[in-house]
Amino acid sequence: MEMSTDQKIKYQLQKQDEPQMRKKGGLITMPFIIANEAFEKVASYGILPNMILYLMMDYGMSLTKGQNILYFWTAATNFLPLIGAFVSDSYMGRFLTIGLGSISSLLGMILLWLTAMIPQARPGPCDPRTQVCKPTSSSQYSLLLSSFALISIGAGGIRPCSLAFGADQINNKENPNNVRALERYFGWYYASAALSVVIALTGVVYIQDHVGWKVGFGVPAILMFLSASLFYLASSLYIKHKIKTSLLTSFVQVIVVAYKNRKIDLPAINSEVWYHQKESKYHVPTNKLRFLNKACVIRNPEDLSSDGIALNRWTLCSVDQVEELKVLIRVIPLWSAGIMMSVNISQSSFAVLQAQSMDRHLTSNFEIPAGSFGLFTVIALFVWVMIYDRVVLPVASKIRGKPVYIGVKERMGIGLFFSFMGMVASAIVEHIRRRKAIQQGFLNNPSAVVDMSAYWLIPQHVLNGLAEAFNAIGQTEFYYSEFPQSMSSIASCLFGLGMAFANLLASLILSTVDHATKKGGKESWTSSNINKGHYESYYWLLAILSIINILYFIFCSWAYGSCVERVNGIPHETTINGSAKDLLKLSSRVNDEVENEVWGNKFVRLHYKYLNGNDKFRAIVQAALLHCSICDGILHALQFWY
């Protein structure tokens, strides 16, 4: 909410009376923070698409072994930001967490570059005629895996803290232009994140394909050096807030206290023994998951101070703490239903091998690198999110004569269906590609290029992009609408946590398929020889699992019941059908809250627009900082756009 004229004048006079010295924080710190995040994204995303080719060609790994290593690496990269957020909030603070994360990523990039620079650091390429490969020594494995581990640790330190640390430098409630300054920062942050992903998928991948691994890994190492250097260069300019108690600690406290009180009888709901804070909207706990209610029962008045505040949260928790944990437990089944979509999207290495064996020429002199085909997933996601609110909903509303809204659970389900269709498309294209390869005599030559355009792979990438556009954004909106404001940092981590579990599940599925299908001396479905294997059968298996998962999602959705789907506590239907006067009040209230609150490690931006020429507003809440595989940066930019 904008300050009055008198407040602005007072603010300017206060600034004039202040000593003429540079204050900490402000827009001057933004280039350093944004550059740190952007360079880290270019470096980490740039090395991932072609990594399966590096492991197979230079380390002699089978497809199954190399892909499993990548699954575990990606799982760690998606899981560690949750640990990083906890460590940052509870122990180290954001500055130190980002700084150490940057150093860790830099060391990892250097080690990976050394594996390409030093011949003794890898076993060397396989013999193309006999396909015989030298075994990889334990020291060579250790160097490679250490580089992956350091890069993941670095991502765990940088990604959960960077956005919020930048907001710490800008957020000044006394500044009349505070909201505008925050919007400018988030705009540049998201735009740089989107540009980073595009550069990684095009420029860095192209260098690896045409110049080699030495330069292809050297460029990310240089970028990571710039990332760490620029961040530390502005160290004296940063505002460094003190650490606070993490929400994860609060959850553990509820579980511990509920266990301690497990033998007591639950009092009546309307009794006065429930501990709650004065400003809390919950005075008594709900009847759902009642066993947790024992954590907020006041057993001994001595557990409270003279002001009525709990002296030890490991002995007595508040009703708010209990209800926050209940909300998290309730969404877990629906959260788990989104894991299968992430499993399907994580099959990018198979698509790279497919593209590698197909005609990728865009012109007679230029061909798209195999690792860059993932860009079509990003483009599909980008286009759909752009037209969804600007074209699809307004046109549908005009046709029906009333506002049209697709609920978050419906969008999540649509995304799962698109993910299923993506696997079907992958299976069909691979069946045709393999048949052509055999017909052209390439059964024993996996490096041969089949006379078939690689652009037949675009449909499966587009379907995967639509799956992420519906399900990933729908998931995050669901978490933000269902969770209280105090849990917004958890909401921003849940999708990334789902990606981590999906990578582990994908590894289990791949290993099981490989082990089961190569029994009796048969060729594995996931053979390193793409023409001898049966990747299409593997895709069909994932499609079948996706159908089962859709049925599971439908059951979980039914069991969960109706969604809150609200904007700051007001049901979604009110924002659509309420009077213009009520909605103007809503918009004013939202502006007040946005101005005074930056939620955890993301910022929720509310945008208002007219529908059908009426004076009715629709508040669109879109979450930022999705940990959404390779589409992460694009999603950030799109969410700011809306």
Side-chain angles (χ1 to χ4, degrees), residues 283-586:
H283 288 188
V284 295
T286 61
N287 284 323
K288 297 174 181 176
L289 302 173
R290 295 177 69 246
F291 64 94
L292 293 174
N293 293 352
K294 296 181 180 182
C296 57
V297 175
I298 302 174
R299 300 181 60 186
N300 189 344
E302 295 181 358
D303 291 337
L304 301 176
S305 67
S306 57
D307 297 329
I309 300 174
L311 296 174
N312 185 357
R313 288 297 176 90
W314 293 98
T315 303
L316 177 62
C317 298
S318 68
V319 175
D320 274 350
Q321 287 179 273
V322 172
E323 291 304 313
E324 286 169 354
L325 180 57
K326 287 182 180 180
V327 171
L328 179 62
I329 293 174
R330 283 193 68 218
V331 305
I332 286 177
L334 277 172
W335 166 80
S336 65
I339 291 178
M340 192 62 214
M341 183 206 73
S342 299
V343 169
N344 294 342
I345 291 174
S346 67
Q347 308 299 322
S348 57
S349 293
F350 290 91
V352 171
L353 293 178
Q354 286 177 286
Q356 188 81 359
S357 68
M358 300 168 75
D359 182 10
R360 294 174 279 116
H361 281 89
L362 189 61
T363 66
S364 58
N365 298 319
F366 177 78
E367 62 178 7
I368 296 180
S372 293
F373 273 76
L375 191 61
F376 291 108
T377 301
V378 177
I379 293 172
L381 188 152
F382 183 93
V383 171
W384 173 254
V385 177
M386 264 189 32
I387 66 174
Y388 175 69
D389 282 316
R390 299 294 179 93
V391 178
V392 175
L393 290 184
V395 170
S397 300
K398 192 171 184 178
I399 293 173
R400 295 194 61 187
K402 61 180 180 180
V404 172
Y405 173 76
I406 305 176
V408 288
K409 287 199 295 184
E410 287 79 6
R411 276 181 279 152
M412 290 162 64
I414 293 171
L416 295 180
F417 178 74
F418 276 124
S419 179
F420 158 71
M421 291 302 298
M423 292 300 99
V424 171
S426 300
I428 293 173
V429 172
E430 173 55 21
H431 175 76
I432 297 172
R433 188 213 64 80
R434 182 174 181 273
R435 186 180 63 191
K436 283 182 173 289
I438 295 174
Q439 290 174 350
Q440 295 169 23
F442 297 143
L443 180 62
N444 296 311
N445 187 5
S447 60
V449 177
V450 180
D451 185 18
M452 178 179 177
S453 174
Y455 300 102
W456 283 106
L457 298 173
I458 291 178
Q460 66 194 56
H461 286 290
V462 170
L463 289 168
N464 286 334
L466 292 175
E468 288 204 82
F470 276 96
N471 188 273
I473 294 177
Q475 269 196 65
T476 309
E477 282 194 31
F478 171 72
Y479 302 141
Y480 277 111
S481 62
E482 297 299 301
F483 288 179
Q485 183 173 320
S486 58
M487 293 180 63
S488 55
S489 60
I490 298 295
S492 67
C493 291
L494 274 181
F495 188 83
L497 189 61
M499 287 291 296
F501 277 94
N503 290 128
L504 297 178
L505 179 59
S507 176
L508 176 63
I509 294 172
L510 178 62
S511 299
T512 302
V513 168
D514 180 64
H515 178 74
T517 57
K518 68 181 181 182
K519 286 183 177 179
K522 296 179 181 179
E523 193 74 30
S524 169
W525 283 3
T526 57
S527 169
S528 299
N529 185 331
I530 188 174
N531 297 329
K532 283 187 175 181
H534 288 275
Y535 292 7
E536 75 281 6
S537 299
Y538 179 66
Y539 283 135
W540 282 120
L541 174 64
L542 295 177
I544 293 171
L545 294 176
S546 297
I547 282 290
I548 296 173
N549 183 67
I550 289 174
L551 298 176
Y552 170 67
F553 170 80
I554 292 172
F555 172 78
C556 292
S557 179
W558 169 80
Y560 187 88
S562 59
C563 293
V564 177
E565 293 192 42
R566 64 194 177 197
V567 178
N568 289 349
I570 298 179
H572 177 80
E573 290 76 16
T574 304
T575 66
I576 294 293
N577 302 318
S579 66
K581 183 178 180 180
D582 291 339
L583 292 166
L584 284 169
K585 289 180 180 178
L586 167 64

Side-chain angles (χ1 to χ4, degrees), residues 94-109:
R94 289 169 182 153
F95 170 77
L96 191 56
T97 305
I98 295 173
L100 294 179
S102 299
I103 293 175
S104 179
S105 284
L106 174 60
L107 292 176
M109 294 291 176

Side-chain angles (χ1 to χ4, degrees), residues 9 28 82 96 107 140 194 209 245 280 314 389 406 515 519 533 587 602:
I9 294 174
I28 193 174
L82 185 65
L96 191 56
L107 292 176
Q140 291 169 340
D209 270 17
T245 303
S280 171
W314 293 98
D389 282 316
I406 305 176
H515 178 74
K519 286 183 177 179
S587 68
K602 95 275 146 255

Side-chain angles (χ1 to χ4, degrees), residues 135-146:
T136 305
S137 66
S138 57
S139 59
Q140 291 169 340
Y141 263 129
S142 298
L143 184 63
L144 178 69
L145 297 181
S146 296

